[in-house]
Amino acid sequence: MSDRMPVLDELDRRIVAALQIDGRASWGRIARVLGETERTVARRATRLLRERHLAIVGIVHYQRVGWGEPYLLRVQCEPAGLRDAARQLAELPQARWVAVVHGSSDCFVEIDIRQDDLTSALLDRLAKIPGIVSLRTHAILRYFRSVHEWRLDVPAEPQAAELVRPDLDLTAEFEPGPVRLAPDETAILDLLAVDGRASNDQIAAAADISASTAWRRVESLRKRGLVFIRADIEPALLGLAVESLLWLRVAPGSLAAVGESLAAHREVRYLVATTGDFQLVANVVLPHRAALYRFLTEVVGAHEGIEQVDVSMNVAALKRAFVRRDGMRLTPVGRQRR
């Protein structure tokens, strides 16, 4: 298998975009919307999946199911120990997103930790990783945009609308507090986290239920906003070679307005409100550095409520959405049990 970056043509990009809208849409449905044959769509998508340039996973709403609360970590490391520290961070079962960055910190981590495990996680497991010099912890207060909401602009909006399921609201705000899951629902979420397109028969076998019940359970989990099925692919494969994290200091009275405004920009894949010395953290993806400069000056700079910006550039993502990264190769690992 070649390690060269694959070239995605326009049809590949349209298929990926369709799977970002609904990762469990049938090949036939995607083909009809895109005006292609089912055989062509299936062949293209299957190749990307087989070569691990594309993964389709279920992103579980951890807060809603009681599996943990989200935190962001800014980690500084000894230069000689950075690589090993980043790898150990990525191996943590609770770590959702781990990236090596350059800027005011060395590693960026998004992690889900249960409240009863917080002290042990921070003081025993994280702080004792060799090579880590300092660790700043920020609790996530609100998601203005999550990764499962971001997608390419292709297919065109009229076509995209045909793929959108109005009964699945990706942006709905749910009441806090964990939902009580049945044992078969937990098994289904664990399977979908590593294979969002698992068949009803595979789900039935994993959860020890019938195939028809498996279909109903998956539909229920999705409609309740407990899992979002989407396509995962490295931004660089989509022509978005520059990935950056923006840490924004925002006046309290401007926080909601700035967050909602920035979340509307297509360059923003992820945007959260946090505790600590920065109130917003954004992940932006752009084709080149000149585009990042324009985004900083023309978009971020246009908001008077933003008092300070700290920019970190992504060097390498080791893990994202519980999917391990090896260059452009993706390996879903899901919720690893300790």
Side-chain angles (χ1 to χ4, degrees):
M1 184 181 293
S2 173
D3 289 329
R4 295 175 57 189
M5 184 182 296
V7 177
L8 270 63
D9 63 18
E10 184 64 19
L11 179 55
D12 288 331
R13 290 165 57 86
R14 293 169 70 208
I15 292 170
V16 170
L19 289 166
Q20 287 178 325
I21 297 171
D22 184 358
R24 285 186 70 84
S26 68
W27 302 137
R29 183 175 171 223
I30 293 173
R32 288 191 297 274
V33 169
L34 299 184
E36 302 288 339
T37 67
E38 181 175 351
R39 180 178 179 181
T40 296
V41 168
R43 176 172 53 81
R44 295 282 193 113
T46 301
R47 174 180 57 81
L48 290 171
L49 288 166
R50 183 181 64 249
E51 295 179 353
R52 296 193 292 123
H53 296 305
L54 174 70
I56 301 173
V57 295
I59 298 177
V60 179
H61 195 317
Y62 267 46
Q63 289 171 288
R64 287 283 291 157
V65 301
W67 290 354
E69 296 286 339
Y71 294 85
L72 300 183
L73 309 179
R74 303 181 81 188
V75 184
Q76 288 186 315
C77 302
E78 298 172 353
L82 174 56
R83 185 186 296 273
D84 287 340
R87 287 175 176 168
Q88 290 193 52
L89 286 166
E91 289 171 1
L92 291 171
Q94 310 100 318
R96 175 187 297 268
W97 180 359
V98 178
V100 175
V101 297
H102 64 71
S104 57
S105 60
D106 299 313
C107 286
F108 169 84
V109 180
E110 182 180 11
I111 190 166
D112 295 282
I113 308 174
R114 297 193 319 274
Q115 195 64 33
D116 61 358
D117 190 41
L118 185 59
T119 300
S120 178
L122 294 178
L123 300 183
D124 297 333
R125 295 192 292 277
L126 287 163
K128 293 181 179 179
I129 292 176
I132 290 182
V133 174
S134 69
L135 183 69
R136 291 186 181 181
T137 306
H138 306 259
I140 294 177
L141 303 178
R142 177 186 171 184
Y143 285 87
F144 284 96
R145 170 174 282 180
S146 186
V147 171
H148 68 258
E149 298 173 58
W150 181 84
R151 64 177 176 84
L152 290 167
D153 284 343
V154 293
E157 200 56 45
Q159 291 179 315
E162 294 183 46
L163 285 165
V164 172
R165 286 185 49 178
D167 57 335
L168 303 180
D169 188 351
L170 300 186
T171 60
E173 293 189 15
F174 300 97
E175 291 298 320
V179 172
R180 186 180 297 277
L181 293 174
D184 59 353
E185 291 179 317
T186 300
I188 290 170
L189 290 178
D190 282 340
L191 175 57
L192 291 177
V194 295
D195 183 3
R197 290 188 68 87
S199 69
N200 290 328
D201 287 339
Q202 290 172 318
I203 293 169
D208 194 22
I209 53 179
S210 68
S212 59
T213 300
W215 180 85
R216 289 195 299 271
R217 290 285 193 273
V218 171
E219 287 293 291
S220 173
L221 290 166
R222 297 181 74 188
K223 289 177 181 179
R224 286 185 285 160
L226 303 183
V227 66
F228 308 95
I229 312 295
R230 65 160 286 121
D232 187 4
I233 191 168
E234 278 299 291
L237 288 182
L238 304 174
L240 302 169
V242 172
E243 182 174 356
S244 183
L245 287 162
L246 310 182
W247 295 79
L248 309 173
R249 185 166 292 157
V250 182
S254 303
L255 184 56
V258 172
E260 290 165 3
S261 175
L262 289 178
H265 288 269
R266 62 181 298 271
E267 297 90 347
V268 178
R269 295 178 73 242
Y270 170 95
L271 180 66
V272 295
T274 72
T275 61
D277 47 354
F278 292 96
Q279 288 69 50
L280 289 176
V281 181
N283 173 229
V284 297
V285 288
L286 302 113
H288 42 68
R289 292 189 183 186
L292 175 59
Y293 177 80
R294 288 195 296 271
F295 185 84
L296 291 171
T297 55
E298 299 173 11
V299 177
V300 177
H303 292 281
E304 294 183 359
I306 298 177
E307 300 172 346
Q308 182 181 340
V309 183
D310 185 273
V311 182
S312 298
M313 300 287 287
N314 186 76
V315 176
L318 280 68
K319 191 178 185 183
R320 190 164 14 215
F322 294 105
V323 177
R324 288 188 183 275
R325 263 76 178 164
D326 181 10
M328 297 294 159
R329 311 285 182 185
L330 311 184
T331 304
V333 295
R335 182 173 69 123
Q336 301 157 276
R337 306 296 183 94
R338 286 190 295 149

